[in-house]
Amino acid sequence: MFNSIPKKKLSFWVRLSLFLIVVVLLTLMLQKCMSINGNLRDILIGLFTSSLVVLVIELMNWIYEKNKLSKLTGKYSRIKITEENLSITSGDPYKDMTRAYKEKSVNVAVTLNYRGEGEYVGTAFYEKGKVKFTINLDRANPNNGKGVCQYIDSGSDPDFGTYDIKVDSDNSKIYVSYSNIMPTGRALGYEIWEKNE
């Protein structure tokens, strides 16, 4: 889940190059076999046509990923963080922790790296230490996403949580609702990450 090794996935350009090599070979074979009548010629034409269809689908997928899913890559600063006070029953239950974080010199840096297919990995810092996280964007609505996070320097006690994110329309801010699930399950709140220029 928090593996620092990139996914073993061929890049678009490698796949495109391999595809073009196959198309050239098929075209040469088709040219040589044009004098052949019958099933072999029909099979080669079918292979050539289906290869072109695969190329078009891959190209459309690459354009969608480039335009919709990969735009969040970069460095962000946490400009606000709150924590929900579970004992408040009316009014605003969120306590602004931004000033406390500044006074304690908690690093506000957040990093997002795109891994493909709507998945990001990143790091953030909190009072307890550094967190690694994975966020998966919803392909149908790439302004929404869900993820998991884990403190990487929490000692022997596991400390996990979840993120639910919303991205503003110009991709400059990410609104993050967080919830701790282990060990206490009691830390809830939201934070705002703003993209650095």
Side-chain angles (χ1 to χ4, degrees):
M1 170 172 59
F2 298 111
N3 192 348
S4 62
I5 299 171
K7 284 185 175 180
K8 301 283 187 196
K9 175 179 157 178
L10 294 176
S11 74
F12 169 78
W13 297 111
V14 172
R15 288 184 286 172
L16 178 62
S17 299
L18 291 173
F19 173 77
L20 290 176
I21 290 169
V22 169
V23 167
V24 167
L25 291 174
L26 285 175
T27 303
L28 291 173
M29 287 174 51
L30 185 63
Q31 184 180 10
K32 295 277 185 195
C33 296
M34 282 308 280
S35 61
I36 299 173
N37 290 327
N39 292 339
L40 180 60
R41 188 172 127 205
D42 293 340
I43 290 171
L44 291 174
I45 291 172
L47 285 173
F48 181 78
T49 306
S50 61
S51 297
L52 286 178
V53 169
V54 169
L55 175 65
V56 169
I57 291 170
E58 284 289 327
L59 188 60
M60 287 175 21
N61 190 41
W62 179 78
I63 291 170
Y64 180 79
E65 282 221 8
K66 187 80 173 151
N67 290 332
K68 298 289 185 185
L69 298 177
S70 68
K71 288 193 170 194
L72 301 180
T73 296
K75 298 192 181 298
Y76 292 77
S77 295
R78 182 186 301 109
I79 59 172
K80 184 172 186 173
I81 184 165
T82 67
E83 187 169 88
E84 187 174 351
N85 185 341
L86 299 174
S87 63
I88 293 180
T89 57
S90 65
D92 186 6
Y94 294 102
K95 177 182 176 187
D96 193 339
M97 302 291 292
T98 310
R99 174 179 268 170
Y101 268 54
K102 283 182 185 176
E103 290 171 358
K104 294 177 182 177
S105 299
V106 176
N107 190 342
V108 297
V110 178
T111 305
L112 286 171
N113 295 307
Y114 189 62
R115 291 185 66 181
E117 299 177 11
E119 180 180 86
Y120 286 86
V121 294
T123 57
F125 296 88
Y126 295 91
E127 280 185 276
K128 279 183 70 176
K130 188 175 181 180
V131 167
K132 279 188 155 183
F133 60 85
T134 302
I135 294 174
N136 291 291
L137 294 182
D138 182 352
R139 286 187 69 85
N141 184 358
N143 288 343
N144 293 325
K146 294 188 180 299
V148 294
C149 59
Q150 178 183 9
Y151 282 95
I152 59 173
D153 49 4
S154 63
S156 61
D157 295 332
D159 199 333
F160 294 93
T162 61
Y163 284 154
D164 188 3
I165 71 161
K166 308 290 183 222
V167 181
D168 68 358
S169 59
D170 65 356
N171 298 315
S172 66
K173 289 183 183 170
I174 301 174
Y175 301 89
V176 182
S177 172
Y178 68 86
S179 173
N180 176 260
I181 54 175
M182 276 180 78
T184 64
R186 290 189 289 206
L188 303 168
Y190 71 90
E191 52 191 274
I192 301 172
W193 302 341
E194 185 173 56
K195 194 164 196 171
N196 300 339
E197 295 300 320

